[in-house]
Amino acid sequence: VEVNEFKWKLSRAGVRARTNEEQLIYVINEAIERANLDLAQAFWLIDQDDKGLITKQEFKQTFN
């Protein structure tokens, strides 16, 4: 996932979640807001190797 896709997906989280993916996005977005981070800051915290992409492994490590 690149930063723009990450920001776009999470910015759509205000709609009531219906699918598992939408529900996960909603929960992640709420956590980012509670941490007072913007979406770009959250992206770069998850992108542990600073390559501009979030891998599945980086995502899992961050949220475990």
Side-chain angles (χ1 to χ4, degrees):
V1 175
E2 294 179 339
V3 67
N4 289 334
E5 181 180 359
F6 179 82
K7 288 167 45 177
W8 180 79
K9 284 232 181 219
L10 291 184
S11 70
R12 300 187 49 188
V15 179
R16 193 172 261 282
R18 290 194 175 97
T19 66
N20 288 340
E21 179 183 352
E22 289 168 334
Q23 189 169 0
L24 178 60
I25 289 169
Y26 179 79
V27 169
I28 291 168
N29 194 56
E30 289 293 308
I32 290 169
E33 287 180 5
R34 280 193 309 273
N36 292 319
L37 297 171
D38 67 35
L39 296 178
Q41 289 171 315
F43 177 90
W44 293 109
L45 287 173
I46 299 168
D47 180 22
Q48 297 169 5
D49 60 8
D50 294 323
K51 290 187 177 180
L53 296 170
I54 295 175
T55 65
K56 187 175 184 177
Q57 186 63 28
E58 287 172 323
F59 193 82
K60 282 179 157 181
Q61 287 176 339
T62 299
F63 291 100
N64 278 336

